[in-house]
Amino acid sequence: MAGEKTRIAVLVSGGGTNLQALIDAQGRGEIPDGEIALVISNHPGAYALERAARAGIETAVCPRAKGEPREAFEAKILGALQAHDIEMIVLAGFMAILSADFVARWPERIINIHPSLIPSFCGEGFYGLHVHEAALRYGVKVTGATVHYVNEIPDGGRIIAQKAVEIREGDTPEVLQRRVMEQAEWILLPRAAQTVAKRIRMEREQ
Ligand code: GAR
């Protein structure tokens, strides 16, 4: 409906610090064109669900049972998105790869945060701490984070924003992960969410 904020679903799998950054930014009025209306986790025990509940945001749990076809898993997610009139999806530490069919339904309406400077250390198998382990193993001196649109290629969609973070002598994957989150992810993701939410709202109002 014209005038209303873009309804956002955040998809998570774990701790949810990026979800928290979005919730905090929304609380400070920094996402004026969007509203986090739903948080979906594929893991029932994800701490991110508690963060959502504490913020009064509706949650849904859509696990993928062992041996369950991906279509059935994605159908559950789509059902939750439709039930909440979602217009935009933010992947914030969501550790499942969405099918080409799924993403084709949401062209330039799904964004993802990835903890490296794409095209380095990205694609299948590069997630969470593994990304930082790979960066340290390679010996790069600068890493960072990227927010990008999600298409059928893992971490291959158009880049929206990037921020560089320096690697320091003696960094462990955990220390580096924390620095990338603090200096890049938690800043970039809410800003990108606002940019995309604004575009979608304007498109709806045209
Ligand atoms: C974040 O570092 C995020 O960039 C990364 O997982 C972490 C989730 O932390 N995502 C990926 O690696 C996706 N390929 P969080 O649950 O605390 O937001």
Side-chain angles (χ1 to χ4, degrees):
M1 242 183 291
E4 286 184 5
K5 295 181 179 191
T6 297
R7 290 178 65 78
I8 302 171
V10 184
L11 271 56
V12 297
S13 298
T17 65
N18 278 287
L19 168 66
Q20 192 65 55
L22 289 163
I23 292 170
D24 293 346
Q26 178 168 271
R28 293 191 301 266
E30 291 170 11
I31 313 182
D33 292 295
E35 177 191 350
I36 306 169
L38 177 66
V39 170
I40 300 178
S41 173
N42 60 336
H43 292 147
Y47 184 64
L49 290 168
E50 286 187 36
R51 297 180 189 271
R54 213 189 302 140
I57 299 166
E58 290 207 46
T59 59
V61 179
C62 300
R64 184 175 179 182
K66 215 166 176 231
E68 184 180 30
R70 185 150 69 174
E71 303 82 69
F73 165 62
E74 291 184 346
K76 286 186 279 189
I77 296 177
L78 271 177
L81 296 172
Q82 282 161 2
H84 289 82
D85 296 321
I86 297 302
E87 304 173 276
M88 166 182 166
I89 300 169
V90 178
L91 306 183
F94 185 64
M95 300 304 182
I97 292 177
L98 296 167
S99 70
D101 277 354
F102 185 100
V103 299
R105 289 169 177 258
W106 300 83
E108 303 229 314
R109 284 175 174 242
I110 310 176
I111 67 172
N112 178 47
I113 178 88
H114 182 77
S116 76
L117 294 174
I118 290 175
S120 290
F121 312 117
C122 65
E124 256 182 283
F126 287 95
Y127 59 90
L129 217 48
H130 298 303
V131 179
H132 305 292
E133 285 164 359
L136 291 173
R137 200 178 313 121
Y138 197 96
V140 291
K141 301 300 175 202
V142 174
T143 185
T146 303
V147 181
H148 63 92
Y149 285 111
V150 174
N151 66 7
E152 70 287 357
I153 303 159
D155 298 326
R158 191 156 67 85
I159 290 173
I160 301 167
Q162 287 187 304
K163 192 163 186 291
V165 174
E166 95 178 323
I167 291 180
R168 295 189 196 145
E169 197 75 30
D171 271 351
T172 62
E174 291 80 6
V175 167
L176 182 57
Q177 179 182 53
R178 183 76 191 181
R179 188 179 311 122
V180 169
M181 284 175 160
E182 284 176 358
Q183 295 186 5
E185 297 187 44
W186 300 341
I187 299 164
L188 285 186
L189 188 60
R191 280 191 199 155
Q194 162 54 19
T195 302
V196 175
K198 184 175 180 182
R199 193 223 343 121
I200 293 172
R201 186 180 193 178
M202 282 167 63
E203 283 173 5
R204 178 173 10 92
E205 288 177 10
Q206 267 168 14

